[in-house]
Amino acid sequence: MAIIHKANLSPSKLELIAGYLPKQPWFIQDGTPELIGAYRFDDPAGEVGIETHVVAAGDRIYQVPLSYRGYELAGAEEWLIGTMDHSVLGKRYVYDACADPIYVKALATAILTGQEEAQLIVDGEPEPRPSSVTVKGSGRLDGGVPALSASAPVSGSGVTIIDAGELRLKVARVVDVAADSSAGSAAAPELHGELTLSGQWAGLENPVELAAVVRD
């Protein structure tokens, strides 16, 4: 589960994303980013926040995974999106999560084991809050996830590739909302690996493919 604090953020997450997107090779500058929703994975150690945002800009949908840390991630200066002041947790370092090993492990685990998004527990609220984006991995692995050694992510043509030792992860940056994740998509064949992460949100008729994992 993910613990959510009722807090003031400066700058806001969307402000950070709006400054980050125009610098990316897969972003087409044809509209102001608007948040559709988000989903979270859990860090078992409780140290790193892992949240993926689904954003609309123009007629395209983008996926922006972020990780939130209370300290700098060594060797990841290139992937630092910015910092924000959190009224409860203090200064937070915000990274492109594709370069964060905690996110890489969480994403691989969700895909391989068939997990869903983390349950959202909000301070002061008696019941879990529903996620605005729901996701589910297609795998059914009962054992442990292979040891991962994530390398720097490489982005291009709407996809980010993360070589992680025994596995290769592929994260959709530009989401093909016209394709049913269960049917495959000729428009984005590079995403179709052995196992996938599918997602859905309000107004979307069928789940779409958000990420895939391929064993090398």
Side-chain angles (χ1 to χ4, degrees), residues 23-74:
K23 303 173 186 177
Q24 307 314 306
W26 36 265
F27 180 70
I28 306 300
Q29 300 188 44
D30 59 357
T32 301
E34 298 181 3
L35 182 63
I36 293 175
Y39 63 94
R40 286 183 177 253
F41 290 135
D42 180 45
D43 171 19
E47 293 291 329
V48 179
I50 308 169
E51 185 175 31
T52 298
H53 298 264
V54 177
V55 177
D59 60 355
R60 292 175 175 82
I61 305 296
Y62 299 94
Q63 184 177 207
V64 186
L66 301 179
S67 64
Y68 311 122
R69 289 174 168 265
Y71 51 88
E72 294 182 75
L73 177 59

Side-chain angles (χ1 to χ4, degrees), residues 90-181:
K91 185 176 183 179
R92 305 293 282 170
Y93 294 84
V94 183
Y95 289 91
D96 179 335
C98 289
D100 194 315
I102 301 299
Y103 166 78
V104 173
K105 180 65 178 290
L107 176 60
T109 299
I111 293 174
L112 292 173
T113 65
Q115 285 186 11
E116 299 179 350
E117 73 281 357
Q119 189 178 54
L120 304 180
I121 305 298
V122 183
D123 282 348
E125 296 184 6
E127 300 293 334
R129 179 180 294 181
S131 179
S132 53
V133 176
T134 58
V135 298
K136 177 151 179 76
S138 65
R140 297 182 180 180
L141 180 67
D142 293 328
V145 174
L148 303 178
S149 55
S151 61
V154 177
S155 295
S157 66
V159 177
T160 292
I161 299 174
I162 310 164
D163 284 318
E166 296 182 37
L167 305 177
R168 177 174 297 153
L169 291 163
K170 299 181 180 181
V171 179
R173 296 299 201 156
V174 181
V175 180
D176 184 1
V177 295
D180 185 338
S181 65

